[in-house]
Amino acid sequence: MANASRLPCLFHSDQLTFKPRYEWAFGEKIDHPETTARAEMILAAIEAAPDVYELRRPDELPEATLATLHDERLITMLKAARQLRRAYTFYPAVFMRGENIVPDATNIHHAGSFCFDSGTPLSRETWSAARWSASCAVSAAALVKAGDHPVAYALSRPPGHHATRSLFGGYCYLGNSALAAKHLAGERAKVAVIDIDVHHGNGTQGLFWNDPRVLTISLHGDPKTFFPFFTGFASEIGGADARGFNLNVPLEEKTDGQAYERALDLHVFPRVADFAPDFLVVAAGVDTYERDPMGDFNLTTEDLHRIGERIGALGYPTVVVQEGGYYTPHIGRNVTAVLTGLSTGSAHARAQR
Ligand code: SP5
Ligand code: ZN
């Protein structure tokens, strides 16, 4: 039976066609952490509770919407990769840039000019998967914006928060969370993004660097020693037109649930309350998990539930966009922990009004 209160979860099967097999991680060839199994495990957890979640297909995002945040040359390069031969994966290895360099976005050999790391390869399936992934985020945003649902979830994969206006990297090709925020902001709404992935959301930060209508907040491993290294410092507070509208909360290695909640209470929640957004986007990586192979935090599944609940209790209509999370055996339960926490917190906040 249709239940209007079920939490909509957006996903498209073409997101599973992109299968990077390995990455070059600081000179080492490792199995690629951003697997299709991640999405399949999350799907399985969602499908196991059909009275709680409702799986939906997103509407396909027009390219013009992508162009509101991304450089058209990045889009051209991702599309150029559609010409790669079957079962071949291209790893950018020449990262030419500078004065007299004129990158050709239609030439795959110039992909290094549109990319910032060696872990984010291209294949003929990348564009379709990335576009559907972004479509999930924007369709989830549309449901929340319409007021039909207090919370919606985009099972976005590949992830998005590292992608900048003109660069892919960090397993990300298009700024999914940013596109959701942009859609919610529309002409006049205020949107706060809280990025709980263990890595700094450098892409989201950069895309709204000069936009005071989107407050970007990220809690993450200290970039002094942790990916993406170049960004995520507390000193980054926003551009000239939006000073104070970016907040970075770098946290130390082995951060546990208690320390994480303290950071939320001390730095994040007061800033969000002061900003008074109309909508919230949660860039929900679960690579803060204690067993995550990429992260170095120590959160438990219960901590993730609690963090979701605390954020839900803020009472804002919320779009949750999947980011990282690489301990595949537990990714389903970790994602649903965040989602049930958010739903519980949000229901509680609404009952209080
Ligand atoms: C979306 C997202 O979570 N992207 C993260 C990209 C991180 N890539 C860094 C790769 C470094 C691999 N180092 C392996 C260390 C194993 N302990
Ligand atoms: Zn991450």
Side-chain angles (χ1 to χ4, degrees):
M1 196 172 66
N3 176 349
S5 72
R6 288 192 301 164
L7 195 158
C9 298
L10 285 295
F11 184 74
H12 191 285
S13 57
D14 282 5
Q15 292 170 247
L16 297 175
T17 56
F18 176 53
K19 296 173 188 288
R21 286 176 26 246
Y22 59 86
E23 73 159 310
W24 296 103
F26 306 96
E28 253 192 296
K29 188 178 181 178
I30 63 170
D31 288 344
H32 207 291
E34 207 290 284
T35 61
T36 50
R38 298 175 60 247
E40 285 163 344
M41 293 295 272
I42 297 170
L43 268 183
I46 286 168
E47 285 172 333
D51 47 345
V52 181
Y53 306 106
E54 180 190 7
L55 200 57
R56 298 197 190 192
R57 267 177 64 133
D59 295 325
E60 192 171 21
L61 195 58
E63 255 176 66
T65 307
L66 294 173
T68 63
L69 287 182
H70 288 292
D71 191 318
E72 66 182 41
R73 287 170 305 173
L74 170 63
I75 296 168
T76 300
M77 175 51 71
L78 298 176
K79 289 173 74 176
R82 292 186 299 184
Q83 307 305 320
L84 289 166
R85 67 176 190 272
R86 280 191 63 238
Y88 176 70
T89 309
F90 184 88
Y91 288 79
V94 182
F95 300 90
M96 196 75 77
R97 58 201 65 198
E99 262 52 346
N100 299 312
I101 300 300
V102 184
D104 174 2
T106 64
N107 180 353
I108 194 79
H109 298 289
H110 287 191
S113 279
F114 303 91
C115 168
F116 69 78
D117 74 358
S118 58
T120 316
L122 297 174
S123 73
R124 60 193 287 158
E125 294 87 8
T126 307
W127 167 251
S128 169
R131 186 177 178 174
W132 281 117
S133 184
S135 298
C136 290
V138 174
S139 285
L143 292 174
V144 168
K145 193 177 187 181
D148 302 339
H149 300 272
V151 181
Y153 171 65
L155 204 182
S156 291
R157 177 277 163 189
H161 73 153
H162 294 304
T164 73
R165 178 165 179 81
S166 54
L167 300 173
F168 61 96
Y171 320 153
C172 301
Y173 302 89
L174 297 168
N176 306 325
S177 292
L179 287 157
K182 181 86 177 168
H183 183 87
L184 291 167
E187 292 303 311
R188 53 164 184 273
K190 288 190 290 177
V191 182
V193 181
I194 303 181
D195 189 324
I196 61 172
D197 186 283
V198 78
H199 302 99
H200 175 232
N202 62 290
T204 318
Q205 165 177 301
L207 288 165
F208 297 113
W209 188 244
N210 272 307
D211 187 346
R213 286 199 304 117
V214 179
L215 170 66
T216 45
I217 300 178
S218 178
L219 307 96
H220 46 259
D222 192 332
K224 218 171 160 181
T225 53
F226 196 67
F227 188 90
F229 306 108
F230 289 82
T231 62
F233 299 95
S235 55
E236 298 155 24
I237 61 169
D241 298 335
R243 288 264 184 269
F245 293 89
N246 185 71
L247 174 63
N248 284 328
V249 185
L251 298 169
E252 60 190 24
E253 219 178 295
K254 302 196 170 76
T255 287
D256 63 7
Q258 209 184 348
Y260 201 97
E261 239 188 282
R262 216 180 308 126
L264 287 173
D265 283 323
L266 196 62
H267 304 292
V268 178
F269 293 157
R271 183 68 192 96
V272 174
D274 182 60
F275 180 67
D278 301 294
F279 301 102
L280 194 63
V281 173
V282 179
V286 292
D287 42 12
T288 48
Y289 185 49
E290 55 189 354
R291 296 173 79 158
D292 196 278
M294 296 289 121
D296 59 8
F297 283 9
N298 265 334
L299 302 192
T300 64
T301 303
E302 293 69 35
D303 292 330
L304 289 165
H305 183 270
R306 177 81 186 140
I307 289 162
E309 194 175 338
R310 292 293 315 278
I311 295 174
L314 301 176
Y316 305 111
T318 298
V319 178
V320 188
V321 181
Q322 186 63 46
E323 295 288 356
Y326 307 99
Y327 189 71
T328 310
H330 294 176
I331 194 172
R333 75 181 72 157
N334 284 340
V335 168
T336 54
V338 173
L339 292 177
T340 55
L342 274 160
S343 293
T344 307
S346 153
H348 188 75
R350 275 174 288 122
Q352 301 274 295
R353 281 204 275 270

